[in-house]
Amino acid sequence: MTINYQYKNIQSPTKITLTDEQSAGHADHWRILTDDMSHDVPEWLQKMIEQAAMPKGLNSNVSAKDSCLLLSEDQPCHINQVLAMNDGKPECFINAYPCVDSPYGLTCKIERMIVNDNTHDAVLRLRTADGSIIYAFDQLYTANRHLYQQDTAYYVNFSAWAHEIKLSEQDEVIMVEDQEAIRYHRAFNDIVAANDGKMPDDLQEQIKAWQPETKEQMAPVEINLGHMCAYLFGDTIGQEDEAWCQGQVLGKQETLFNGQTIILFDVVVLREQDADPFVIRIGAPKTEATAAIEVHDYVQANIWLQAAIYKENQKPQTTAQQSKAS
């Protein structure tokens, strides 16, 4: 494999360029939503043009005169479509992929971009404030590609499509006896329970202030490994956004994508002490199995992880604050 390292300028994150042959494309992503791509996808693309909008991303001045145009829809689950432009008119189709909107995110720096310039596919390597590494497909690369800056902290919204999502395995446990780990575990559960299963904006502050009321609250904790939170990114370059995760379902709702019912699961996949929890909104077609998953369940999922960076979100936020894409 030949990889070309390109540095656009000293202010931009490192860019790794892949060829068409090295890129995976989106066939597997469309298969999440249809068994008949040759019929359904062209129909969906034509339908979305009738109500498409231009997402701004980090750019306040979106123009149809740009060399490439990104079209989207104001729906929880939607399609982003990239068109080549010539003198303000569409010249040819470049790419299209299904997206999930998410209100959840983390503040991250972009360490590098793994890009196919022909298709405008880009996977971002992101580092969170606590040092965690996350790889995600950039929904808005076409709009943001010239604007990303090195060593700049961005609020990044995270979402995903599930190739598979199911209840986690429940047959292995460990015993935790460390007192601070026990205190954190009890505090987190008490605080979330007191907030109807939702994480308050000041979760970390409340955890620091929490104190046990009984000796039993500081007793050793038996932890089911199926109740752990975990995130593992892919190990193939350019496909690191194909990830595995395990976590707890914090929320569940339904929406539609081209007439198909989609369940949106809000899943916390990382929650470490003194760090903002990593929550992903995961979309999955409604089936008997996915419909049976309930809030508070722990799930395992193979996901296509996505990121979106919008200008209006670039201010201090918590994962509980919602942000609306324009």
Side-chain angles (χ1 to χ4, degrees), residues 275-290:
D276 289 334
F278 181 22
V279 182
I280 306 169
R281 174 157 287 177
I282 301 175
K286 184 177 182 179
T287 64
E288 184 176 344
T290 56

Side-chain angles (χ1 to χ4, degrees), residues 8-292:
K8 184 179 177 182
N9 59 57
I10 197 170
Q11 298 297 325
S12 298
T14 301
K15 180 178 176 182
I16 300 174
T17 302
L18 302 183
T19 66
D20 291 343
E21 290 73 20
Q22 295 163 346
S23 300
H26 295 290
D28 286 341
H29 305 143
W30 290 116
R31 288 191 188 100
I32 296 172
L33 297 163
T34 177
D35 293 325
D36 190 358
M37 286 189 298
S38 61
H39 174 270
D40 290 342
V41 175
E43 183 176 288
W44 294 342
L45 295 181
Q46 181 60 42
K47 179 181 175 182
M48 74 155 288
I49 290 292
E50 300 171 3
Q51 52 191 13
M54 292 187 290
K56 295 178 181 178
L58 290 170
N59 192 351
S60 299
N61 301 307
V62 177
S63 173
K65 292 187 180 297
D66 291 341
S67 60
C68 291
L69 184 65
L70 179 64
L71 298 178
S72 188
E73 300 170 283
D74 186 18
Q75 300 291 337
C77 297
H78 60 273
I79 295 170
N80 277 12
Q81 187 169 174
V82 184
L83 302 176
M85 304 295 289
N86 186 1
D87 196 24
K89 297 180 180 180
E91 187 174 41
C92 66
F93 169 85
I94 294 178
N95 200 0
Y97 41 86
C99 297
V100 178
D101 275 347
S102 172
Y104 303 104
L106 294 170
T107 298
C108 307
K109 291 184 178 180
I110 302 172
E111 290 198 331
R112 71 182 186 215
M113 306 178 293
I114 305 167
V115 179
N116 180 327
D117 284 321
N118 294 330
T119 61
H120 287 225
D121 285 328
V123 175
L124 304 181
R125 175 185 166 99
L126 303 158
R127 183 180 293 272
T128 67
D130 69 306
S132 297
I133 299 298
I134 300 171
Y135 284 89
F137 177 83
D138 189 353
Q139 293 183 1
L140 301 175
Y141 179 74
T142 300
N144 290 341
R145 65 192 188 281
H146 300 310
L147 302 174
Y148 291 140
Q149 297 294 305
Q150 191 176 20
D151 295 323
T152 297
Y154 297 100
Y155 186 80
V156 185
N157 293 88
F158 290 103
S159 60
W161 286 106
H163 294 285
E164 179 185 32
I165 184 168
K166 62 182 182 179
L167 295 174
S168 60
E169 301 295 335
Q170 305 290 309
D171 56 359
E172 188 174 358
V173 298
I174 58 174
M175 189 68 70
V176 176
E177 299 182 350
D178 179 79
Q179 289 293 288
E180 184 54 30
I182 293 171
R183 197 191 74 83
Y184 184 90
H185 176 80
R186 303 291 192 198
F188 183 94
N189 287 342
D190 282 358
I191 293 165
V192 172
N195 285 271
D196 298 322
K198 299 179 181 179
M199 290 181 294
D201 293 351
D202 61 344
L203 175 64
Q204 295 304 323
E205 288 75 10
Q206 288 194 43
I207 288 176
K208 289 178 182 179
W210 185 91
Q211 294 297 327
E213 297 178 354
T214 66
K215 291 183 179 180
E216 287 75 16
Q217 287 179 303
M218 294 303 293
V221 176
E222 184 179 270
I223 294 182
N224 189 315
L225 293 182
H227 287 179
M228 294 183 68
C229 295
Y231 158 73
L232 299 174
F233 52 77
D235 57 6
T236 301
I237 190 165
Q239 299 179 48
E240 295 94 338
D241 51 340
E242 300 291 346
W244 178 90
C245 65
Q246 178 173 286
Q248 187 176 26
V249 178
L250 305 179
K252 174 184 176 182
Q253 60 185 285
E254 292 185 3
T255 188
L256 291 175
F257 176 86
N258 287 290
Q260 180 179 184
T261 301
I262 303 294
I263 301 180
L264 300 175
F265 297 101
D266 300 333
V267 182
V268 55
V269 299
L270 291 177
R271 49 184 177 197
E272 302 295 337
Q273 189 170 358
D274 299 322
D276 289 334
F278 181 22
V279 182
I280 306 169
R281 174 157 287 177
I282 301 175
K286 184 177 182 179
T287 64
E288 184 176 344
T290 56

